[in-house]
Amino acid sequence: MTTFDNILKQMMRWWVVLGYFSLTMISFFYFDKSVAYYFHGLDIKHSYPVIHWITKLGIGAVDITALLLLALFFRYIHKNKTYETRSWFLWLCALVPNLICLVLKIALGRARPELLFDAQQFGFYGFHMTSQFWSMPSGHTTTVMGIVFGLCVLFPRYCIALILVGLGIVSTRVFLTDHYLSDVLATIYLTLLEIGGLAYFSRQKLNVIK
């Protein structure tokens, strides 16, 4: 069993699910507002511009396109079946969770922190097509952790290091007040389950990764 498989197994135990859900709910009811106001006051986006650039690593459209081009490169130019397969898998790890994320964003309609600061709007407002109500799940977190968990499947010896790097990147979404803490927490868990499902399907049904 790889490190990723073991993490997924542990995170699916009923008491871990309950504890993680409780942590997310506690964050929603007791910490989200205060944490958002705290980092809003620090104005990190302007005080520490490097963090603003780090968070750009999670731009879904850019990462999905880059992985698609990488897969095509290994298919048609530098022909390497192993690298091509891995690239396609990572592409799916970015694409599929982002599609699910978009549907959930629109359906849940959670107000972003900017609406808390400007209009005291907080919580879920149902179906919305405007990005100001697309706080949960976090698209950047979905992209980063989707790729990170995908890399964990492909390169299990580096799994812990990859996850720590991923967590460092997605934490910028809270620092920059683009998302609430509970948004990031919920998105990480959701993405873990999605990549776990993709890994199982790729191994058992397609037999394209080990």
Side-chain angles (χ1 to χ4, degrees), residues 63-94:
D63 292 348
I64 291 170
T65 301
L67 289 169
L68 174 60
L69 293 175
L70 186 64
L72 294 174
F73 172 78
F74 286 125
R75 181 175 181 83
Y76 294 109
I77 300 176
H78 184 70
K79 298 181 180 180
N80 186 307
K81 190 63 178 177
T82 299
Y83 289 171
E84 180 196 344
T85 300
R86 290 176 174 178
S87 298
W88 284 124
F89 176 70
L90 288 177
W91 178 69
L92 289 174
C93 287

Side-chain angles (χ1 to χ4, degrees), residues 188-204:
I188 291 172
Y189 192 86
L190 177 62
T191 307
L192 174 66
L193 296 181
E194 291 164 349
I195 301 307
L198 276 173
Y200 175 82
F201 183 78
S202 298
R203 288 166 175 161
Q204 304 298 324

Side-chain angles (χ1 to χ4, degrees), residues 59-204:
I59 298 177
V62 174
D63 292 348
I64 291 170
T65 301
L67 289 169
L68 174 60
L69 293 175
L70 186 64
L72 294 174
F73 172 78
F74 286 125
R75 181 175 181 83
Y76 294 109
I77 300 176
H78 184 70
K79 298 181 180 180
N80 186 307
K81 190 63 178 177
T82 299
Y83 289 171
E84 180 196 344
T85 300
R86 290 176 174 178
S87 298
W88 284 124
F89 176 70
L90 288 177
W91 178 69
L92 289 174
C93 287
L95 178 65
V96 174
N98 264 285
L99 293 176
I100 297 172
C101 175
L102 180 59
V103 172
L104 291 175
K105 278 178 178 288
I106 295 172
L108 295 175
R110 186 179 189 187
R112 288 184 183 271
E114 63 185 273
L115 289 177
L116 173 66
F117 307 142
D118 297 338
Q120 295 300 301
Q121 289 182 277
F122 178 81
F124 297 88
Y125 292 83
F127 184 89
H128 262 282
M129 293 298 292
T130 54
S131 61
Q132 287 182 314
F133 291 90
W134 289 3
S135 195
M136 181 185 283
S138 162
H140 282 67
T141 302
T142 296
T143 301
V144 171
M145 297 312 297
I147 295 174
V148 163
F149 289 140
L151 288 170
C152 287
V153 173
L154 298 176
F155 306 102
R157 11 178 346 187
Y158 305 108
C159 186
I160 300 301
L162 287 165
I163 290 175
L164 291 176
V165 171
L167 293 177
I169 296 173
V170 301
S171 66
T172 62
R173 304 310 290 160
V174 179
F175 299 157
L176 296 171
T177 64
D178 290 311
H179 288 280
Y180 291 105
L181 177 59
S182 63
D183 295 334
V184 173
L185 289 173
T187 304
I188 291 172
Y189 192 86
L190 177 62
T191 307
L192 174 66
L193 296 181
E194 291 164 349
I195 301 307
L198 276 173
Y200 175 82
F201 183 78
S202 298
R203 288 166 175 161
Q204 304 298 324

